[in-house]
Amino acid sequence: MLENLPTLTEVVRIYGLGANKKLGQHFLLDMNVTDKIARLAQPLTDCHIAEIGPGPGGLTRSLLKADAAGVTVIEMDERFLPALKDIADVSDGRLSIIKGDALKVHIGHELGNQRPIKIAANLPYNVGTKMLINWLTEDPLFWTQAVLMFQKEVAERIVAGPGDSGYGRLAILSQSVCTCRMAFEVPAKSFSPPPKVDSAVVVLDPLPKAKRFQNLKLLGELSQTAFGQRRKMLRKSLKPFAKKYDLILEDWLASAGVEPTARPETLSVEVFQSLASF
Ligand code: SAM
């Protein structure tokens, strides 16, 4: 029975699981918080969850408790494997453990014909954004929802709109594939050890396929170029991009209804998509 497992604090003590900062390890040992994350992903009864970086397994337990049909965890640090195995032993065969680097594991292939797949994670800060970009640019998209904890500033950059200070490439890419919403914030003191900054959970629901923007590579390059010089007018910052792609700058901007004197933070996601559709 899951309820009979030792508490997470005991697990950390029993197995000597000190945090390795290089792997972005900040644990959520309060199951009220992990239960709240698992609730965001519901309904789970027909879903397979890919959980990245389970650590001592707090969120893993919450996902199983919330009746997930199956959970596959991908953890890089082998010190956590015994604690995860203890959870697997009382999970009625619903928990599978992969030891590996989630940046290299192809989750869609690993989970084979388990569908639908949702992703849930308290992501390591150092590679969280990279993982999200990888999942957004998967084609075909193997997941139907992602419930992800990031440092708060990154979460704000995912949901930001024109005029917000965090608006840029990450918002444009994320919102070209998904509807993105900020669910709740988690103060730094909720983690062990506490990180320097607060965190927040974001829920990403993929748009219908026909509404997803296809050429994300080009859109990423365009938005990165524009926001790389955020204070500059687009006629200046996008000059090298236009040259690279043989575009007549003024005509290209005009075709998307963009004033050459505009700055990137004033343009909607749709306008960036239109600029990336030449
Ligand atoms: N989910 C646990 C929790 O909430 O207490 C731990 C979260 S901790 C922020 C991030 C976890 O991701 C750690 O367990 C760390 O070892 C793991 N991790 C870091 N980089 C990883 C990678 N590239 N692939 C898989 N796991 C990784």
Side-chain angles (χ1 to χ4, degrees), residues 23-28 53-55 74-76 100-102 122 124 131:
L23 288 177
Q25 291 178 352
H26 298 281
F27 308 126
L28 278 173
I74 304 168
E75 173 58 62
M76 208 172 164
D101 179 349
N122 169 17
M131 286 185 187

Side-chain angles (χ1 to χ4, degrees), residues 60-72:
T60 317
R61 294 187 194 194
S62 294
L63 292 164
L64 291 164
K65 231 171 62 182
D67 278 340
V71 179
T72 295

Side-chain angles (χ1 to χ4, degrees), residues 107-262:
I107 302 171
H109 291 169
E110 283 294 336
L111 297 195
N113 52 8
Q114 312 268 14
R115 292 287 188 277
I117 297 168
K118 294 185 179 182
I119 307 174
N122 169 17
L123 288 172
Y125 281 179
N126 45 348
V127 283
T129 310
K130 197 163 182 207
M131 286 185 187
L132 174 61
I133 303 247
N134 283 355
W135 300 327
L136 289 169
T137 49
E138 287 272 349
D139 186 23
L141 221 55
F142 65 87
W143 48 280
T144 59
Q145 188 180 54
V147 178
L148 304 173
M149 168 111 74
F150 294 93
Q151 60 194 96
K152 189 175 150 200
E153 176 264 332
V154 175
E156 285 170 346
R157 285 202 278 126
I158 293 168
V159 302
D164 293 339
S165 60
Y167 186 55
R169 172 174 169 262
L170 192 58
I172 290 164
L173 289 180
S174 303
Q175 295 169 33
S176 291
V177 180
C178 299
T179 54
C180 309
R181 74 179 171 90
M182 182 82 89
F184 62 90
E185 292 176 18
V186 184
K189 65 175 170 19
S190 304
F191 297 83
S192 175
K196 289 202 178 76
V197 292
D198 293 337
S199 294
V201 181
V202 173
V203 180
L204 297 107
D205 290 295
L207 296 162
K209 191 169 176 16
K211 293 205 168 163
R212 281 180 228 147
F213 190 73
Q214 293 303 314
N215 198 343
L216 291 173
K217 192 163 179 284
L218 191 64
L219 185 64
E221 185 185 346
L222 169 67
S223 48
Q224 189 154 30
T225 311
F227 284 94
Q229 297 177 292
R230 330 178 53 98
R231 299 274 140 247
K232 296 242 165 80
M233 291 179 193
L234 291 166
R235 71 171 172 218
K236 173 119 183 146
S237 56
L238 290 181
K239 209 171 176 174
F241 183 94
K243 188 159 185 246
K244 177 176 174 189
Y245 290 101
D246 232 355
L247 300 163
I248 299 166
L249 184 65
E250 285 72 21
D251 294 354
W252 169 53
L253 292 176
S255 71
V258 176
E259 291 291 337
T261 53

Side-chain angles (χ1 to χ4, degrees), residues 45-64:
T45 41
D46 292 323
C47 292
H48 200 98
I49 310 289
E51 190 204 339
I52 315 309
L59 180 56
T60 317
R61 294 187 194 194
S62 294
L63 292 164
L64 291 164

